[in-house]
Amino acid sequence: MSVQPSDPQPSRPRIRDAEATKGRILDAAKKEFARNGLEGARVDAIALEANANKRMIYHYFESKEKLFQTVLENAYFDIRESEKKLELDSLDPREALERLVRFTWNYYIQNPEFISLVNSENLAQARHLKTSEPVKIVSRRFVGLVDTILKRGVAEGIFRSGIDPVQLNITIAAVSYYYFTNQYTGSIIFERDLMSESAQAERICFNIDTILRIVCL
């Protein structure tokens, strides 16, 4: 009586190796795109940094454009996921906005690649985000969260009514974003080291005060 061979078991180590390789590629790509932008980034450099080869990069991501889109999407997913962890719904509306402004400032400090990636996508006229429905979905949810905070503040007699949550989100991002994208030229023009500890502490207080003055009665 012959013994039938058993069904092959799934190769879990191979799956783990594939995910690990993809992770290294994405980490390396994030650094390369942040340093050199989409146009200047080189797949050879990404492969070398990731300890992978170009063939694997194209196997997993098809092209440099699609690799950039994945890196960009992950960057947006990360900031949106980090914002969710702030649990803003559980806070007093005024405290919630203050925490959001402070978080945005600190996130830009801790994740300078995010600013570089967004700059690159703006130079590309957002052609990658235009086709990214997942980024649109998580962004809509976040705008809805800020809208809820504003409505709670109005109901409690703390905030002015009629504030557009999209405009407020743009302003919260802008008051920090501009500071970091122009830190070098700004330090020369205004004759002040914008990245010194005292200057940064002064600026975040100014940002919080500015946003609260916009929304508070």
Side-chain angles (χ1 to χ4, degrees):
M1 180 176 177
S2 61
V3 178
Q4 296 296 323
S6 59
D7 293 335
Q9 295 298 311
S11 178
R12 292 183 178 178
R14 184 171 297 177
I15 293 173
R16 287 198 297 267
D17 289 346
E19 291 304 311
T21 300
K22 288 173 69 174
R24 292 199 308 273
I25 291 170
L26 287 170
D27 288 343
K30 182 178 180 180
K31 294 176 184 177
E32 177 69 8
F33 287 130
R35 279 194 301 259
N36 299 306
L38 173 58
E39 298 303 323
R42 295 173 56 246
V43 175
D44 285 329
I46 295 171
L48 182 63
E49 174 75 19
N51 192 27
N53 58 58
K54 291 172 63 174
R55 181 180 61 81
M56 296 305 297
I57 292 176
Y58 290 118
H59 171 72
Y60 290 129
F61 301 101
E62 298 183 21
S63 67
K64 186 172 83 165
E65 289 277 340
K66 290 189 177 181
L67 175 58
F68 177 78
Q69 178 165 338
T70 302
V71 169
L72 184 67
E73 286 175 337
N74 286 348
Y76 275 100
F77 296 154
D78 183 75
I79 190 171
R80 296 286 91 98
E81 190 63 29
S82 297
E83 287 160 344
K84 282 172 57 178
K85 293 176 182 177
L86 298 175
E87 299 183 344
L88 300 179
D89 274 341
S90 66
L91 301 176
D92 166 86
R94 181 186 175 100
E95 184 183 353
L97 275 189
E98 179 176 342
R99 179 175 291 187
L100 177 59
V101 175
R102 190 177 296 279
F103 163 82
T104 303
W105 171 268
N106 288 331
Y107 190 89
Y108 290 165
I109 290 175
Q110 296 162 9
N111 300 273
E113 299 93 347
F114 179 78
I115 292 177
S116 298
L117 293 170
V118 173
N119 286 343
S120 290
E121 181 64 354
N122 276 292
L123 289 173
Q125 300 182 354
R127 66 174 179 263
H128 306 90
L129 288 184
K130 286 176 183 176
T131 61
S132 179
E133 195 60 31
V135 169
K136 295 176 185 178
I137 290 171
V138 296
S139 297
R140 287 187 204 117
R141 289 174 183 163
F142 180 67
V143 172
L145 172 61
V146 174
D147 188 38
T148 299
I149 294 170
L150 289 172
K151 288 176 179 175
R152 286 199 292 118
V154 171
E156 295 178 21
I158 301 171
F159 294 162
R160 296 187 295 107
S161 62
I163 296 175
D164 184 345
V166 171
Q167 295 291 357
L168 184 61
N169 275 323
I170 291 172
T171 301
I172 290 172
V175 293
S176 294
Y177 190 92
Y178 179 90
Y179 192 90
F180 293 115
T181 57
N182 293 270
Q183 59 181 276
Y184 302 109
T185 54
S187 293
I188 300 300
I189 293 170
F190 300 116
E191 300 182 83
R192 182 181 300 180
D193 181 4
L194 296 184
M195 297 309 292
S196 69
E197 287 188 15
S198 59
Q200 290 188 52
E202 181 180 357
R203 181 64 196 185
I204 183 55
C205 289
F206 183 88
N207 288 357
I208 292 170
D209 184 62
T210 297
I211 297 303
L212 292 179
R213 285 175 182 269
I214 289 173
V215 302
C216 288
L217 289 170

